[in-house]
Amino acid sequence: MPIRTQRDLPSKEILERENIFVMDEKRAMHQDIRPIQIAIVNLMPLKEDTELQILRSLSNTPLQVEVSFVKMGTHESTHTSLSHLNKFYQTFPEIRERNYDGLIITGAPVEQMEYEEVDYWEEICAVMEWSKQHVTSTLHLCWGAQAALYYHYGIPKYPLDKKMFGVYEHRVMNRKIPLVRGFDDRFFAPHSRHTEVRREDIEARKELTILAESGEAGVFLAINQDGSRVFVMGHPEYDRVTLHKEYMRDKEKGLPIELPVNYYPDNDDSQKPLLQWRSHGNILYANWLNYYVYQQTPYEFIDTSLVLGK
């Protein structure tokens, strides 16, 4: 699938080296195709790494996707250059009058804080409220999923005794839902978080369905009735070395961190990590784009309350 980006986005060159078709605005103007419009609210500190991971994950269908990166105006990012943010990102006020086929809200390293203590909490709540009328389907990742379950359904998060960190085996719970079409009975996915949302709290809401879970890591994937909200508790977009970088960073800082589970061969952190989740991560993103974004949105985007009957 061609990914439409600005010509000089740094991750564009990396994607092209991986034989992923990336199209800039000039070339896209010559094609009579309405691309799928996806906004990515990037809350991760290393924004360029997350850009690359998500664009790579979105590149596995024949659909043409145009992405817009969004930052929180109420938060000052210290790990990404101001020039990069000013050039490639918009703030929420700059996009709030637009409609999008899909929205992705990433994770954020703030799970150990109460939601209301996060400096951009009111702004991210405004984004989630806005998405009800301006977005066909929203994919929430890790803390983004926990925050959305809390905002939309009042479901709390709970602190874990130790960080959920590694690659965990999951099982599919409901094969009738298209989001997990093509999944094996058992599959792996990465997690990196200090809090959890409990199964019983999700099951108490009749409008929510759990699609996959892990005996160790708990709920991994859930969806609401009309597919307008998808909740992913882990990080299927992570690349091979993301957990390694997190582990080495915390280890060098002297923080209490254990080896990532099911990650290094023989639990030897000097060896190349095993990549065991890429295929199912790609299927998840492709299914979301196809079944909940592309097939739900008309050629000319209209208010989602008319599309989904909200």
Side-chain angles (χ1 to χ4, degrees):
M1 165 184 65
I3 298 287
R4 285 179 56 170
T5 67
Q6 290 176 248
R7 179 178 300 182
D8 46 357
L9 183 73
S11 58
K12 179 176 182 290
E13 183 179 348
I14 300 173
L15 293 168
E16 288 175 334
R17 288 202 301 268
E18 297 177 8
N19 293 319
I20 294 173
F21 183 21
V22 184
M23 181 186 300
D24 60 37
E25 311 99 311
K26 184 176 180 181
R27 182 171 180 181
M29 287 174 62
H30 296 283
Q31 295 198 344
D32 187 21
I33 297 173
R34 184 179 94 72
I36 300 299
Q37 301 283 340
I38 303 292
I40 301 173
V41 178
N42 189 353
L43 305 175
M44 295 293 277
L46 300 176
K47 297 194 185 305
E48 293 183 60
D49 288 353
T50 303
E51 292 163 17
L52 179 60
Q53 292 165 10
I54 293 180
L55 290 177
R56 186 186 285 130
S57 298
L58 292 173
S59 68
N60 290 283
T61 81
L63 303 172
Q64 185 183 127
V65 173
E66 182 173 359
V67 297
S68 300
F69 291 108
V70 182
K71 64 178 181 178
M72 294 289 94
T74 47
H75 175 76
E76 182 178 350
S77 179
T78 58
H79 293 82
T80 303
S81 71
L82 186 60
S83 61
H84 183 86
L85 293 171
N86 289 340
K87 190 169 189 177
F88 300 111
Y89 280 74
Q90 298 171 283
T91 61
F92 176 54
E94 291 174 320
I95 69 159
R96 69 185 314 154
E97 299 304 319
R98 293 185 57 184
N99 295 316
Y100 288 89
D101 305 301
L103 173 68
I104 297 174
I105 300 177
T106 73
V110 294
E111 327 112 64
Q112 292 175 292
M113 300 171 64
E114 295 297 327
Y115 291 118
E116 292 79 7
E117 294 175 356
V118 176
D119 58 3
Y120 51 81
W121 177 245
E122 289 187 7
E123 187 175 11
I124 199 66
C125 287
V127 171
M128 290 188 286
E129 185 64 28
W130 164 86
S131 72
K132 294 178 181 179
Q133 299 297 325
H134 291 266
V135 178
T136 303
S137 182
T138 302
L139 182 69
H140 309 82
L141 301 173
C142 201
W143 181 85
Q146 294 183 353
L149 287 168
Y150 178 71
Y151 176 75
H152 292 294
Y153 306 102
I155 295 175
K157 61 183 171 72
Y158 300 90
L160 295 167
D161 294 333
K162 64 178 182 179
K163 187 176 183 179
M164 189 72 65
F165 189 50
V167 182
Y168 297 87
E169 185 179 75
H170 303 76
R171 60 192 180 100
V172 174
M173 306 293 294
N174 191 328
R175 289 202 166 275
K176 294 181 180 179
I177 307 298
L179 190 63
V180 292
R181 186 166 294 172
F183 274 51
D184 295 327
D185 290 339
R186 307 273 174 168
F187 65 95
F188 290 94
H191 290 259
S192 178
R193 50 186 168 82
H194 294 273
T195 56
E196 67 174 352
V197 173
R198 293 178 180 168
R199 166 187 244 278
E200 56 267 28
D201 291 337
I202 297 176
E203 288 182 325
R205 299 302 301 247
K206 294 182 180 179
E207 60 268 58
L208 298 176
T209 300
I210 296 173
L211 300 182
E213 69 174 357
S214 164
E216 295 176 271
V219 174
F220 173 69
L221 186 61
I223 192 170
N224 71 339
Q225 283 182 331
D226 61 17
S228 62
R229 299 180 196 127
V230 174
F231 309 94
V232 184
M233 307 304 169
H235 287 282
E237 77 284 353
Y238 270 8
D239 60 31
R240 183 191 298 271
V241 298
T242 306
L243 292 176
H244 173 74
K245 289 179 179 178
E246 290 184 24
Y247 172 68
M248 298 307 293
R249 177 200 65 201
D250 289 356
K251 188 177 179 181
E252 289 169 3
K253 290 182 177 179
L255 298 175
I257 187 67
E258 297 183 5
L259 279 169
V261 174
N262 297 324
Y263 186 55
Y264 297 112
D266 302 319
N267 283 331
D268 180 356
D269 64 13
S270 68
Q271 295 195 48
K272 184 178 182 179
L274 295 173
L275 182 59
Q276 307 174 80
W277 61 90
R278 175 66 57 79
S279 60
H280 281 85
N282 288 344
I283 291 171
L284 175 61
Y285 277 88
N287 284 349
W288 174 66
L289 280 174
N290 183 26
Y291 296 114
Y292 300 95
V293 178
Y294 174 68
Q295 293 193 28
Q296 291 287 336
T297 309
Y299 186 86
E300 295 294 337
F301 191 99
I302 58 176
D303 191 303
T304 57
S305 63
L306 301 178
V307 179
L308 299 174
K310 296 181 185 177

